[in-house]
């Protein structure tokens, strides 16, 4: 055992024990939690960074993921020291933001309640005890920072119904981007990697088993289309106005205007606290850089997307 592990393990046990006491009693949220929902390579990380910088929000930081079983305990310890005041940078590397205070997807923390596979988790999967615990943890987390909680992870694509079951008051922010651009960005990543996971880079929709093609470009197109269709199906199934839509290109041109529009949406019809502004953000962002594709590859992507749009305009999900 390394010295680092020898120090970490007793601390981890102590914090986990304290966490159990902190969440032993149910707690209702003082704020509406916010969940960003979007396919990979849609610009959702930039949106996450901008929202946590512009608004006074709390989130699972990179530092907190080191002790994933005690998020509330860490929130209480870190809140006096700016634990959820993100750095003034909007750089990221394929969804990862550097720095201890950088916003994280919180995968290790969510793993306490949400299964790894299959990745789509509709309502009714989590037990009543798990749902109460998630609701209490996020409520106590918000209490520590006196601010609404926000989270962005690609797994949210398949958790819309489960999250809405836990948090009927939740707000979902959907980031949209031209499917061609999302596929082109995934294609660049595919070509830059040689590991076995380079094709499946992100969330796997419930019907991933239907993707049987040997053509990696077609595979990536189906990933994007199937994921977007699944999100849209769950939105319809939810049957309530809890979704705010952001379009990547427009957001890059006028981010503050988009966030102000969201602030109005967040407070509409809700008696709780309004969003507080925290820091300024750039007047605009440069759209993500992607290299030009050979004409044949670009046309292949467009052809696959056209065919998929004609064949599967939407996906109805039953489970």
């Amino acid at each position: 055992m390394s010295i680092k592990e020898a120090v970490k393990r007793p601390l981890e046990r102590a914090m986990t024990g304290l966490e159990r006491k902190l969440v032993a009693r149910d707690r209702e949220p003082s704020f509406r939690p916010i969940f960003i929902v979007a396919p990979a390579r849609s610009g959702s990380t930039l949106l996450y960074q901008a929202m946590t910088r512009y608004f006074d929000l709390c989130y699972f930081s990179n530092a907190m993921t080191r002790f994933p079983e005690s998020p509330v305990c860490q929130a209480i310890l870190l809140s006096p020291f700016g634990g959820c005041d993100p750095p003034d940078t909007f750089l990221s590397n394929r969804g990862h933001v550097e720095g201890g205070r950088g916003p994280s997807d919180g995968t290790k923390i969510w793993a306490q309640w949400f299964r790894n596979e299959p990745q789509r988790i509709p309502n009714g999967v989590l037990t009543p005890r798990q749902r109460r615990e998630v609701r209490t943890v996020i409520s106590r987390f918000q209490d520590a920072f006196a601010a609404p909680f926000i989270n962005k992870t690609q797994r949210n694509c398949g958790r819309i119904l489960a999250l809405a079951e836990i948090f009927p008051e939740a707000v979902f922010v959907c980031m949209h981007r031209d499917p061609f651009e999302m596929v082109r960005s995934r294609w660049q990543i595919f070509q830059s990697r040689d590991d076995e996971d380079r094709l499946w880079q992100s969330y796997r929709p419930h019907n991933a088993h239907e993707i049987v093609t040997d053509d990696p470009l077609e595979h990536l197109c189906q990933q994007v289309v199937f994921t977007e269709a699944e999100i849209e199906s769950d939105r319809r199934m939810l049957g309530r106005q809890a979704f705010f839509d952001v379009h990547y290109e427009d957001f890059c041109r006028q981010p503050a205007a988009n966030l102000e529009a969201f602030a109005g949406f967040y407070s509409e019809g809700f008696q709780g606290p309004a969003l507080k502004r925290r820091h300024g953000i750039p007047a605009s962002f440069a759209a993500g850089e992607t290299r030009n594709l050979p004409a044949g590859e670009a046309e292949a992507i467009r052809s696959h997307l056209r065919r998929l749009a004609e064949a599967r305009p939407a996906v109805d999900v039953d489970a």
Side-chain angles (χ1 to χ4, degrees):
M1 181 188 301
S2 66
I3 296 177
K4 181 179 178 181
E5 285 297 314
V7 173
K8 181 181 177 182
R9 286 188 180 181
L11 179 60
E12 196 168 40
R13 285 195 296 269
M15 292 176 67
T16 300
L18 178 57
E19 183 83 5
R20 294 195 191 99
K21 295 179 181 178
L22 290 170
V23 301
R25 296 177 60 185
D26 293 352
R27 171 68 174 164
E28 289 299 297
S30 301
F31 304 90
R32 304 174 74 186
I34 304 164
F35 299 98
I36 297 175
V37 178
R41 317 309 301 166
S42 64
S44 57
T45 301
L46 176 62
L47 177 63
Y48 194 21
Q49 291 171 289
M51 292 185 74
T52 54
R53 184 75 184 166
Y54 190 73
F55 295 120
D56 186 9
L57 301 172
C58 62
Y59 52 86
F60 294 146
S61 68
N62 290 325
M64 295 175 187
T65 62
R66 296 167 188 163
F67 298 93
E69 295 183 357
S70 54
V72 175
C73 183
Q74 293 182 85
I76 293 171
L77 292 172
L78 296 175
S79 58
F81 306 101
C84 278
D85 189 1
D88 185 15
T89 178
F90 297 93
L91 300 176
S92 65
N93 182 15
R94 297 175 184 175
H96 177 71
V97 179
E98 295 292 337
R101 289 183 289 113
S104 166
D105 59 15
T107 297
K108 293 180 180 179
I109 297 174
W110 290 120
Q112 298 177 76
W113 309 286
F114 292 97
R115 68 194 181 197
N116 187 47
E117 295 289 347
Q119 295 181 12
R120 182 172 185 274
I121 304 176
N123 53 340
V125 172
L126 270 67
T127 66
R129 183 195 62 78
Q130 288 175 317
R131 294 197 297 270
R132 287 195 303 272
E133 187 170 305
V134 174
R135 187 171 177 85
T136 297
V137 164
I138 299 305
S139 297
R140 299 286 183 190
F141 195 94
Q142 291 185 141
D143 290 345
F145 289 98
F149 173 81
I150 186 171
N151 177 253
K152 188 246 26 170
T153 171
Q154 301 304 327
R155 297 295 183 98
N156 283 346
C157 294
R159 297 174 182 171
I160 293 173
L161 298 179
L163 289 169
E165 184 179 27
I166 298 168
F167 302 103
E169 62 279 279
V171 177
F172 296 91
V173 184
C174 292
M175 180 64 121
H176 303 274
R177 191 180 186 184
D178 181 351
F180 177 87
E181 296 299 333
M182 288 191 283
V183 173
R184 175 162 66 171
S185 182
R186 293 185 189 208
W187 179 239
Q188 287 184 227
I189 295 174
F190 174 84
Q191 292 180 308
S192 69
R193 292 169 56 173
D194 58 6
D195 59 281
E196 61 181 15
D197 294 325
R198 66 179 183 156
L199 192 56
W200 276 111
Q201 302 162 16
S202 182
Y203 172 72
R204 299 191 184 210
H206 80 287
N207 55 341
H209 62 279
E210 296 180 17
I211 304 178
V212 294
T213 178
D214 293 327
D215 177 358
L217 265 180
E218 183 180 14
H219 198 291
L220 294 172
C221 288
Q222 289 179 318
Q223 289 181 30
V224 169
V225 171
F226 286 9
T227 300
E228 288 193 317
E230 185 174 282
I231 293 171
E232 182 57 32
S233 177
D234 284 353
R235 287 182 64 158
R236 293 199 312 271
M237 193 180 301
L238 204 53
R240 62 193 180 96
Q241 300 300 314
F243 295 87
F244 183 83
D245 295 293
V246 179
H247 296 270
Y248 175 72
E249 291 77 11
D250 183 57
F251 178 76
C252 288
R253 285 192 296 268
Q254 43 185 0
N258 275 267
L259 295 186
E260 285 298 324
F262 172 74
F265 177 86
Y266 181 86
S267 299
E268 185 177 344
F270 184 67
Q271 301 301 316
L275 293 176
K276 297 179 181 178
R277 284 35 169 198
R278 176 156 50 184
H279 299 296
I281 58 174
S284 63
F285 294 107
E289 295 182 1
T290 52
R291 65 173 175 79
N292 290 327
L293 295 178
E297 292 179 359
E299 179 52 36
I301 293 174
R302 292 191 176 95
S303 177
H304 290 315
L305 290 174
R306 281 196 300 268
R307 179 183 59 79
L308 287 165
E310 293 169 359
R312 306 181 68 107
V315 174
D316 290 320
V317 181
D318 297 323

